[in-house]
Amino acid sequence: MARDLSFIHRFEPATRPDLAPVLLLHGTGGDENDLLPLGRMISPGAALLSVRGQVLEHGMPRFFRRLAEGVFDEADVIRRANELADFVGAAHEAYGLAAPLALGYSNGANIAAAMLLLRPATLQGGILLRAMVPLAQPPEVDLSNQSLLLVSGQHDPIIPPANSERLAAMLTKAGADVTRRVLPIGHQLSQADVTVAREWLARDKATVDITSA
Ligand code: MLT
């Protein structure tokens, strides 16, 4: 665990420096340890930068405040997305990292979506698992150099399908190359998320060694 930059985080250097680094962003109640195994499965050998959200909700780390489930404090979303983007910039200096691919789950996927809308140069694409629209009225942004995978759960009790569809439409309208997959599952992550993410990376980025799949 490293505390010397502004966010508590863990960093695993690449064994395959040809792969994009991956920024891991956990869900509500998670921490910087949670998604490391997922990152290793989805992009084996990539550098992993895994961050702990700085907001506490009843002791559970998050990346921004919410007023109720699915109702976000948008001023806080904006502030925290900018702070996280600044941290990624500082990590670039500290670890010599290129702009990372975001891999976020739930609340972590939502802060990744907010960073894309507010500070797009911070990221080099993203895999957003169970994401929602983070900002009702985002600023105009050019995402034409971003490839994004959105994976939703058909039976997700937290995220109505229309909301994730709206996010996909918002990102597509901003020029991103968006792939949206709806899996026959709920909010929890499953092996199908790993498979879909690996396939997408192999197809879109040619960065996954599929011979080890
Ligand atoms: C959120 O950001 O609040 C998510 O969509 C739901 C959650 O993290 O529980």
Side-chain angles (χ1 to χ4, degrees):
M1 183 168 82
R3 292 173 183 273
D4 49 339
L5 296 170
S6 54
F7 280 71
I8 294 174
H9 65 281
R10 285 184 57 181
F11 175 65
E12 286 190 2
T15 55
R16 295 243 342 241
D18 54 312
L19 301 179
V22 181
L23 176 68
L24 299 169
L25 302 166
H26 62 78
T28 300
D31 68 21
E32 68 283 7
N33 299 303
D34 279 24
L35 294 190
L36 287 168
L38 186 70
R40 292 181 201 122
M41 281 189 273
I42 288 179
S43 192
L48 301 177
L49 178 63
S50 190
V51 186
R52 187 188 304 184
Q54 294 184 323
V55 169
L56 285 180
E57 183 185 273
H58 308 299
M60 296 186 296
R62 286 176 52 85
F63 287 96
F64 56 82
R65 272 170 35 86
R66 63 180 164 183
L67 308 174
E69 192 167 277
V71 184
F72 301 152
D73 175 342
E74 294 205 10
D76 198 59
V77 173
I78 293 169
R79 175 185 152 201
R80 306 284 179 176
N82 278 302
E83 287 175 357
L84 186 56
D86 291 344
F87 164 77
V88 174
H92 163 79
E93 300 290 320
Y95 298 120
L97 283 187
L101 171 87
L103 172 56
Y105 166 60
S106 192
N107 183 244
N110 296 341
I111 196 77
M115 273 200 293
L116 283 162
L117 294 166
L118 297 168
R119 299 276 294 271
T122 308
L123 298 173
Q124 186 184 160
I127 299 175
L128 309 187
L129 307 173
R130 317 295 184 275
M132 297 177 69
V133 173
L135 295 167
Q137 307 279 331
E140 289 271 314
V141 63
D142 177 6
L143 297 179
S144 53
N145 58 349
Q146 301 280 350
S147 283
L148 304 171
L149 172 66
L150 269 54
V151 186
S152 310
Q154 198 179 347
H155 309 296
D156 191 329
I158 298 176
I159 304 173
N163 191 301
S164 62
E165 254 172 62
R166 202 145 52 82
L167 176 61
M170 188 181 266
L171 296 167
T172 302
K173 184 161 170 263
D177 173 9
V178 177
T179 302
R180 179 163 180 264
R181 295 290 306 272
V182 183
L183 300 175
I185 54 178
H187 196 69
Q188 293 307 312
L189 292 176
S190 75
Q191 183 58 39
D193 288 282
V194 177
T195 305
V196 163
R198 285 176 62 97
E199 283 172 3
W200 177 80
L201 265 184
R203 196 202 61 207
D204 273 27
K205 309 257 182 197
T207 47
V208 169
D209 178 4
I210 50 172
T211 57
S212 65

Coordinates of all heavy atoms in Angstrom, one line a residue, residues 27-28 57 62 64 66 68-72 105-108 110-111 130-132 158-159 187, ligand 1:
G27 N -15.7 -0.8 -6.4 CA -17.1 -0.4 -6.1 C -17.2 0.0 -4.7 O -16.2 -0.1 -3.9
T28 N -18.4 0.4 -4.3 CA -18.7 0.9 -2.9 C -18.3 -0.1 -1.9 O -18.7 -1.3 -2.0 CB -20.2 1.2 -2.8 OG1 -20.5 2.2 -3.7 CG2 -20.5 1.7 -1.4
E57 N -18.8 6.3 3.1 CA -20.2 6.2 3.4 C -20.4 5.1 4.4 O -20.3 4.0 4.1 CB -20.9 5.9 2.1 CG -22.4 5.9 2.2 CD -23.1 5.5 0.9 OE1 -23.3 6.3 0.0 OE2 -23.3 4.3 0.7
R62 N -15.8 5.1 -1.2 CA -16.4 5.4 -2.5 C -15.5 6.4 -3.2 O -14.7 7.1 -2.5 CB -17.8 5.9 -2.3 CG -18.8 4.9 -2.0 CD -20.2 5.6 -1.7 NE -20.6 6.5 -2.8 CZ -21.3 6.1 -3.9 NH1 -21.6 4.8 -4.0 NH2 -21.6 6.9 -4.9
F64 N -17.1 9.1 -4.8 CA -17.8 10.4 -4.7 C -19.0 10.2 -3.8 O -19.5 9.1 -3.6 CB -18.2 11.0 -6.0 CG -19.0 10.1 -6.9 CD1 -20.4 10.0 -6.7 CD2 -18.4 9.3 -7.9 CE1 -21.1 9.1 -7.5 CE2 -19.2 8.4 -8.7 CZ -20.5 8.4 -8.5
R66 N -22.9 10.3 -2.6 CA -24.3 10.1 -3.2 C -25.3 10.6 -2.2 O -25.1 10.5 -1.0 CB -24.5 8.7 -3.8 CG -24.5 7.7 -2.7 CD -24.8 6.3 -3.3 NE -24.4 5.2 -2.3 CZ -24.5 3.9 -2.6 NH1 -24.9 3.5 -3.7 NH2 -24.1 3.1 -1.6
A68 N -28.5 9.4 -2.4 CA -29.3 8.1 -2.2 C -28.8 7.2 -3.2 O -28.0 7.5 -4.0 CB -30.8 8.4 -2.4
E69 N -29.2 5.9 -3.1 CA -28.7 4.9 -4.1 C -29.1 5.4 -5.5 O -30.3 5.7 -5.8 CB -29.4 3.6 -3.9 CG -28.7 2.5 -4.7 CD -29.0 1.1 -4.2 OE1 -28.4 0.6 -3.2 OE2 -29.9 0.5 -4.8
G70 N -28.1 5.6 -6.4 CA -28.4 6.0 -7.8 C -28.6 7.5 -7.9 O -28.9 8.0 -9.0
V71 N -28.5 8.3 -6.8 CA -28.7 9.8 -6.9 C -27.4 10.4 -6.4 O -27.0 10.3 -5.2 CB -29.9 10.2 -6.0 CG1 -30.1 11.7 -6.1 CG2 -31.1 9.4 -6.3
F72 N -26.7 11.0 -7.3 CA -25.3 11.5 -7.0 C -25.3 12.9 -6.7 O -26.0 13.8 -7.2 CB -24.5 11.2 -8.2 CG -24.4 9.7 -8.7 CD1 -24.2 9.4 -10.0 CD2 -24.6 8.7 -7.7 CE1 -24.1 8.1 -10.4 CE2 -24.6 7.4 -8.1 CZ -24.4 7.1 -9.4
Y105 N -15.5 -0.8 -11.6 CA -16.7 -1.5 -11.3 C -17.7 -0.7 -10.4 O -17.3 -0.1 -9.4 CB -16.4 -2.8 -10.5 CG -17.6 -3.5 -9.8 CD1 -18.6 -3.9 -10.6 CD2 -17.6 -3.6 -8.4 CE1 -19.7 -4.5 -10.0 CE2 -18.7 -4.2 -7.8 CZ -19.8 -4.7 -8.6 OH -20.9 -5.2 -8.0
S106 N -18.9 -0.5 -10.9 CA -20.0 0.1 -10.1 C -19.6 1.6 -9.8 O -19.3 2.4 -10.7 CB -20.3 -0.7 -8.9 OG -21.4 -0.3 -8.2
N107 N -19.4 1.9 -8.5 CA -19.0 3.3 -8.2 C -17.7 3.7 -8.9 O -17.5 4.8 -9.4 CB -18.9 3.5 -6.7 CG -18.6 4.9 -6.3 OD1 -17.5 5.1 -5.8 ND2 -19.4 5.8 -6.6
G108 N -16.8 2.7 -9.0 CA -15.5 2.9 -9.8 C -15.7 3.2 -11.2 O -15.0 3.9 -11.9
N110 N -18.4 4.5 -12.4 CA -19.0 5.8 -12.5 C -18.0 7.0 -12.5 O -18.1 7.9 -13.2 CB -20.1 6.0 -11.5 CG -21.2 5.0 -11.6 OD1 -21.4 4.4 -12.7 ND2 -22.0 4.7 -10.6
I111 N -17.0 6.8 -11.6 CA -16.0 7.9 -11.5 C -15.1 7.8 -12.8 O -14.7 8.9 -13.3 CB -15.1 7.8 -10.3 CG1 -14.4 9.1 -10.0 CG2 -14.1 6.7 -10.3 CD1 -15.2 10.3 -9.5
R130 N -21.0 -2.2 -14.9 CA -22.1 -1.7 -14.2 C -22.1 -0.2 -13.9 O -22.2 0.2 -12.8 CB -22.3 -2.5 -12.8 CG -22.1 -3.9 -12.8 CD -23.1 -4.7 -13.6 NE -22.9 -6.1 -13.5 CZ -22.0 -6.8 -14.2 NH1 -21.3 -6.1 -15.2 NH2 -21.8 -8.0 -14.0
A131 N -21.9 0.5 -15.0 CA -21.8 2.0 -14.9 C -23.1 2.6 -15.1 O -24.0 2.1 -15.7 CB -20.8 2.5 -15.9
M132 N -23.3 3.8 -14.5 CA -24.5 4.7 -14.7 C -24.0 6.0 -15.2 O -22.8 6.4 -15.2 CB -25.1 4.9 -13.3 CG -25.6 3.7 -12.6 SD -26.3 4.1 -11.0 CE -27.8 5.1 -11.5
I158 N -29.8 -2.3 -9.2 CA -29.3 -1.0 -8.8 C -29.4 0.0 -10.1 O -29.6 1.1 -10.0 CB -27.9 -1.0 -8.2 CG1 -27.9 -1.9 -7.0 CG2 -27.3 0.3 -8.0 CD1 -26.6 -2.1 -6.3
I159 N -29.1 -0.6 -11.2 CA -28.9 0.2 -12.4 C -30.0 -0.1 -13.5 O -29.9 -1.2 -14.1 CB -27.5 0.0 -13.1 CG1 -26.5 0.3 -12.0 CG2 -27.4 0.9 -14.3 CD1 -25.1 0.0 -12.5
H187 N -26.0 -7.2 -10.4 CA -24.9 -6.2 -10.2 C -23.6 -6.8 -10.0 O -22.5 -6.2 -10.2 CB -25.4 -5.3 -9.0 CG -24.6 -4.0 -9.0 ND1 -24.8 -3.0 -9.9 CD2 -23.7 -3.6 -8.1 CE1 -24.0 -2.0 -9.6 NE2 -23.3 -2.3 -8.5
Ligands
MLT1 C1 -22.8 4.4 -7.3 O1 -21.9 5.0 -7.7 O2 -23.4 4.7 -6.3 C2 -23.1 3.0 -7.9 O3 -23.8 3.1 -9.1 C3 -23.8 2.1 -7.0 C4 -22.9 1.7 -6.0 O4 -21.7 2.0 -6.0 O5 -23.4 1.0 -5.1

